[in-house]
Amino acid sequence: MESGDIHSLSSFRRNSSSIWRSNVADVFSRSSRDEVEDDEEALRWAAIEKLPTYLRIRRGILSEKEGDFREVDIGSLDLQDKRRLLERLVKVAEEDNENVGIEIPTIEVRFDHLNITAEAHVGGRALPSIVNFSMNMIEGFLNYLHILPSRKQKISILHEVSGIIKPTKMTLLLGPPSSGKTTLLLALAGKLDSSLKVSGKVTYNGHGMDEFVPQRSSAYISQYDLHIGEMTVRETLAFAARCQGAGTGYEMLAELSRREKAANIKPDPDIDVYMKAAALEGQEASVVTDYILKILGLEICADTMVGDEMVRGISGGQRKRVTTGEMLVGPAKALFMDEISTGLDSSTTFQIVSSLRQFIHILQGTAVISLLQPAPETYDLFDEIILLSDGQIIYQGPRDQVLEFFESMGFNCPARKGVADFLQEVTSKKDQKQYWARKDEPYNFISVKEFTEGYQSFHIGRKLGDELASPFDKRKSHPAALTTKKYGVSTKELFKACISREYLLMKRNSFFYIFKLTQLSLLAIITMTVFFRSEMPRDSITDGGIFMGALFFSLIMIMFNGFAELAMTILKLPVYYKQRDLRFYPSWAYSLPTWILKIPITFLEVAVWVFLTYYVIGFDPNIERFFKQYLLFVLINQMASGLFRFVAALGRNVIVANTFGSFAILVLMVLGGFVLSRDNVKKWWIWGYWTSPMMYAQNALAVNEFLGKSWSHVVPNSTETLGVRVLKSRGLFVEAHWYWIGVGAMIVYIFLFNAIFTLALSYLNPFGKSQTVMSEETLNEKSATITQEVIGTSSRRRSSFRHTLSGDNGDSMRRKGISPKTSSVSADAIDEAKNRKRGMVLPFQPLSITFDEITYAVDMPQEMKVQGVPEDRLLLLKNVSGAFRPGVLTALMGVSGAGYPKKQNTFARVSGYCEQNDIHSPHVTVYESLLYSAWLRLPPEVDSKQEG
């Protein structure tokens, strides 16, 4: 059975039993109902209990507003019933509930001596220049042949990290940027890039990653928000729930229902209805989705499009919550969340973490959550802390004992200082000194290596080491804890889900298809005027060449009409890669709907072209040849669409794909039999002629036209018809069966290109960054820190640290004549002198900004009007007044979700607007980007050649 047995709130079932215990009597002896049941409710429960198990788990009792109860069919809950149910469930979830005896499968994650290193160019070699790209290509080829050794530098990301992530514990992962938090989460979730070198092991309940499917047993929630902008929040979560399924919830619920009946136990009505709706097939995408929307505070924007760079949608904070909710709607038991608070206000972050805490504690889940700067009240929700710095674990253990460890190291957290901020600053060279508590001892910087040594000597570290030394007893791992199935539901259901989503996106992008159809119609009208029937005689080979040109032009137009598939495919690839890696669906379930659902559009587009141009241009009037040309153009359009989807999947980048797509069209045109006839193609290129799909299309179109009645008259002084002579003059085949050869070739290429498209989606990964922003100096310092080969005083610091732990108070250092205080002061003085030399005065004109009675409103979103909102305008700012003074730093605070656009032209020269989304050119360095921005803002009187 799969993991994720019963979705959220299953353990809220009062008086319910564990379906996993061997001694059932002990469980149900504690399950007597405390309150007196209403007679009517008791009668309804009695009626439900008499039903067979199959029917019993599909019936429930729903509470009404007035306190009445009514029996309902779980599969036919209406919208109002669901809303009332969710309102009551959220109130239950806000209480401090504890597990009432349901023993469900749990996951314990262990990582032992985990080392992760990467190889990349650093410094100047990492810049994306043409020279570096060419050198990297040549070096990579020579490295593959073992002719030249690799010049890439080894970068240690994680170094000898070990630990245990226990179930029912909320674990907070802290650490400064570039400390390795994301890599650790990816390693625990089994999603590391294959190019990384990994040693050590990660186990779930003692099982290696190759013994189960980690992508289905756990859920990695990225810090990057990748969603399809044309889908609403509700549709995004519903699709995720539909793909991930309900796990083993149905089997558990059936067994639980049987045992409840045997022991005469009546569960809580609301929880009973929710559990049944969540576990039954087809309902998990509605009730569970609505509940997650409720607890994440997304109800207000549930029917608003997520949006992207081109489509206006929800705010950045709301988008971050959608990313989190996408995995919460699934049945995964282990959650690894990376920076889920980015873009969220502290209140929303607290609400989300509080809801996750209920989920983890009640369902005995496993969670590691990375937060950059959690508020004190959010920090207090966690049970365990993992502090990471420079790829090494400084502390892992209970939250309430972390300060004790740092006090043993000589550092105190100030009374009014947030503990999370203290933990991230105490390992920094810049900030560590201010927390030194032993005033009678000279301060010396304590490195990360020394902190890790101290933790291993601390009682929490020793206890963790003892636990790691004892292997996990696999007999304690329940078979349902780890998932061995690759996908959450049947492939048939996944295919149906992908078809529904693709159809929805086609409706949302209807303007795109209408625009394509309009464009094709205009081009057809222009073609009709260029190749007009009255000006198109059929008297000579030259006349036939003009008709041949009309056919070739039509062929090019139909092919270019499929070029739009390239951009459409690339836009959706990032979301596809994310969902593929999360095992939402197989690649074929994604690729087939994008092909099959476009076929009716192809029939319509080609019909517009052929119906407008065929008789006006003057092609052979035979109705059979008319429909044969129509069929051939349909197949050509499908072939071109498959070709460009395939190129997009291979390119994976809009620049690369456009380059290859344009190149593919040029090659097909040259080798298609019209630009160069078969007789003029060089011998070494003849293979390209026979493999070009345009060659088969051109021959089929020409044979269909020139073997018709309009071209059947015999040329003077010849036994051949004019049509045959035209075909031979262009080096084309003259046999009638070449039409069907062309039709067959188009069908083969359609299936071939779409099959390769599917394979490319299956096996290719998105382009990663092969370079690093790390300089060579930083790399050397990082390597020295790991090996403890920092400056010549490293051994002295280790000696001082050991004596400090034993209570020596630094006396041994003084006895040896070492005066670290003096050297430290001297170093500070040198740094201050350097800073004074670097200092400079920048001209700056102070400005004040005032605003008075500002009101800002936008058009009411259509989704809110559908829900019954009568107003035409949505008021975002209402009579706002204030002032900003020079020299005063003002914080603008408030909950996330306003989502109004900025006015780009307001105070453009005297103010700067730093927006929430980070949009930069990926092909320039940080220095180049800042330099370019600075030059754009210089006044005209500044000399552009002046340096400074």
Side-chain angles (χ1 to χ4, degrees), residues 312 855-862 864-865 868-878 898 900-901 903:
R312 181 184 173 190
T855 300
Y856 183 79
V858 297
D859 293 335
M860 184 67 67
Q862 189 63 34
M864 299 182 68
K865 285 188 175 183
V869 178
E871 291 82 4
D872 294 328
R873 302 282 287 176
L874 177 61
L875 194 62
L876 300 179
L877 296 179
K878 183 178 180 180
Y900 58 87
K903 288 187 176 181

Side-chain angles (χ1 to χ4, degrees), residues 759-777:
L759 291 175
L761 291 177
S762 301
Y763 296 105
L764 295 182
N765 295 316
F767 287 120
K769 293 182 179 179
S770 59
Q771 70 277 354
T772 175
V773 296
M774 186 179 297
S775 65
E776 295 184 8
E777 294 79 5

Side-chain angles (χ1 to χ4, degrees), residues 529-730:
T529 60
V530 173
F531 301 97
F532 198 57
R533 180 176 183 176
S534 61
E535 305 294 330
M536 300 276 285
R538 300 182 180 86
D539 299 328
S540 64
I541 295 177
T542 303
D543 296 337
I546 297 176
F547 275 90
M548 188 77 73
L551 288 174
F552 179 75
F553 184 77
S554 299
L555 174 61
I556 294 298
M557 287 298 100
I558 296 298
M559 282 202 63
F560 266 107
N561 194 52
F563 195 83
E565 286 294 325
L566 188 145
M568 295 284 288
T569 302
I570 287 180
L571 286 176
K572 294 188 292 183
L573 278 182
V575 177
Y576 163 76
Y577 286 129
K578 180 187 78 169
Q579 295 178 344
R580 179 199 66 178
D581 295 341
L582 292 172
R583 297 294 189 270
F584 273 30
Y585 43 73
S587 59
W588 64 265
Y590 173 84
S591 63
L592 286 183
T594 62
W595 166 28
I596 295 173
L597 293 183
K598 305 291 177 59
I599 294 177
I601 297 178
T602 296
F603 276 98
L604 179 60
E605 292 176 345
V606 173
V608 168
W609 179 272
V610 175
F611 285 19
L612 286 177
T613 62
Y614 190 88
Y615 287 105
V616 177
I617 292 177
F619 292 125
D620 191 87
N622 187 290
I623 190 64
E624 180 184 352
R625 297 189 183 277
F626 170 84
F627 282 109
K628 287 172 71 175
Q629 186 186 99
Y630 174 72
L631 172 63
L632 192 57
F633 273 137
V634 167
L635 296 176
I636 291 171
N637 185 270
Q638 279 293 300
M639 179 274 298
S641 298
L643 170 66
F644 293 119
R645 279 194 292 266
F646 148 63
V647 170
L650 283 183
R652 291 161 285 168
N653 176 280
V654 65
I655 299 175
V656 176
N658 275 321
T659 302
F660 279 105
S662 302
F663 177 75
I665 288 182
L666 290 175
V667 171
L668 293 179
M669 286 175 58
V670 171
L671 299 176
F674 181 82
V675 178
L676 282 177
S677 65
R678 177 162 45 104
D679 300 331
N680 295 327
V681 177
K682 300 297 182 182
K683 292 182 179 180
W684 56 84
W685 270 111
I686 198 65
W687 63 269
Y689 174 83
W690 287 105
T691 56
S692 171
M694 275 192 68
M695 183 275 287
Y696 296 95
Q698 183 72 39
N699 273 282
L701 285 171
V703 165
N704 181 63
E705 170 63 23
F706 291 101
L707 295 185
K709 188 175 181 180
S710 300
W711 303 89
S712 61
H713 52 281
V714 179
V715 178
N717 303 322
S718 174
T719 59
E720 296 177 332
T721 64
L722 178 60
V724 171
R725 293 294 300 271
V726 171
L727 292 174
K728 286 185 175 181
S729 68
R730 301 300 306 174

Side-chain angles (χ1 to χ4, degrees), residues 64-81:
E64 300 288 352
K65 274 188 175 182
E66 297 78 10
D68 298 331
F69 296 89
R70 65 182 174 92
E71 185 177 339
V72 295
D73 182 359
I74 302 300
S76 60
L77 290 176
D78 59 30
L79 183 60
Q80 296 300 323
D81 289 338

